[in-house]
Amino acid sequence: DAGVTQSPTHLIKTRGQQVTLRCSPISGHKSVSWYQQVLGQGPQFIFQYYEKEERGRGNFPDRFSARQFPNYSSELNVNALLLGDSALYLCASSPRLAGGSPDTQYFGPGTRLTVL
Amino acid sequence: GQQLNQSPQSMFIQEGEDVSMNCTSSSIFNTWLWYKQDPGEGPVLLIALYKAGELTSNGRLTAQFGITRKDSFLNISASIPSDVGIYFCAGLNYGGSQGNLIFGKGTKLSVKP
């Protein structure tokens, strides 16, 4: 079975531009989460979606937005890019929302975003 | 953002040595997860722990969920060169409407020169 897939693998943008990152979860998984990982740090939580609804949001500005589609794939959008947005953006999928029973998140390979 | 205290930050290993790392938190968690990340890749799940006191093995890896639910450790026995990488602990709470992972800063395993 395919794991979590993300596209593109690498992206270079300039300050002020907008970017869209894409994620397809493991087949049968309904929950998708997005994380930002800057060099030398652990991943930081951005969003969680379940059944197309936002179920959690981390401490990120409104320039960050996301959505989940009926097939459970997801997009992360970042507007008005800043140099500090340069990072590895990770998508994780889980079978169900971690809201009442044990759950485990599986990560994709990430999208490396560089903002110049 | 909130992070777990993971130690050591880095360590050097010689093939055949046992390795130990741990993670502590000021908050309790319902789930502890251990991941390994290679350069330029996403984290790969190694072990998941769901119950306080639980001890779980995956090949040469053993991890435990602390009784207080505020800590966890990971041991690697008889290390081999492919164990090199960055290991992350992550805590997860379920029981509300959201379930985001809180990560440590990682333990970097390198080969002794």
Side-chain angles (χ1 to χ4, degrees):
Chain A
D1 281 342
V4 178
T5 59
Q6 293 186 242
S7 63
T9 54
H10 294 86
L11 207 47
I12 299 175
K13 292 285 188 178
T14 56
R15 278 177 297 177
Q17 284 189 312
Q18 175 264 342
V19 69
T20 298
L21 311 180
R22 296 176 177 82
C23 170
S24 291
I26 293 170
S27 177
H29 285 195
K30 297 184 178 181
S31 183
V32 169
S33 300
W34 288 94
Y35 293 80
Q36 180 196 64
Q37 186 179 25
V38 298
L39 206 59
Q41 300 290 319
Q44 294 284 326
F45 172 70
I46 309 175
F47 286 110
Q48 184 178 59
Y49 276 77
Y50 176 68
E51 293 284 10
K52 294 165 286 180
E53 288 188 11
E54 180 184 309
R55 298 301 183 98
R57 185 185 184 113
N59 189 23
F60 280 82
D62 291 343
R63 299 184 296 107
F64 289 76
S65 63
R67 55 181 175 166
Q68 187 177 31
F69 299 98
N71 66 354
Y72 302 110
S73 67
S74 177
E75 286 182 353
L76 175 71
N77 295 287
V78 187
N79 293 323
L81 285 167
L82 304 173
L83 295 179
D85 294 331
S86 295
L88 181 67
Y89 287 85
L90 296 162
C91 172
S93 80
S94 58
R96 55 192 173 275
L97 180 68
S101 54
D103 203 8
T104 302
Q105 296 187 14
Y106 300 88
F107 284 84
T111 293
R112 171 69 63 187
L113 173 65
T114 302
V115 182
L116 302 176
Chain B
Q2 180 185 359
Q3 285 196 323
L4 304 176
N5 298 313
Q6 190 172 347
S7 63
Q9 285 186 334
S10 63
M11 57 194 311
F12 289 88
I13 58 171
Q14 206 151 41
E15 190 170 350
E17 285 181 341
D18 294 344
V19 171
S20 185
M21 61 192 78
N22 67 77
C23 212
T24 60
S25 169
S26 57
S27 312
I28 62 173
F29 288 105
N30 292 329
T31 297
W32 282 92
L33 305 170
W34 285 91
Y35 292 87
K36 179 175 182 268
Q37 188 175 28
D38 292 326
E41 303 289 329
V44 173
L45 181 67
L46 299 174
I47 292 181
L49 302 158
Y50 300 116
K51 261 175 71 169
E54 179 181 356
L55 185 73
T56 297
S57 293
N58 177 10
R60 293 178 297 105
L61 278 59
T62 302
Q64 184 158 31
F65 191 143
I67 290 290
T68 65
R69 293 165 64 192
K70 292 184 178 181
D71 62 319
S72 177
F73 72 75
L74 174 71
N75 286 339
I76 305 173
S77 63
S79 57
I80 59 178
S82 62
D83 290 334
V84 163
I86 302 179
Y87 292 78
F88 288 100
C89 61
L92 174 67
N93 278 329
Y94 54 89
S97 62
Q98 53 176 292
N100 54 284
L101 292 174
I102 308 297
F103 279 85
K105 289 190 175 182
T107 293
K108 184 177 181 181
L109 237 57
S110 306
V111 175
K112 262 183 198 167

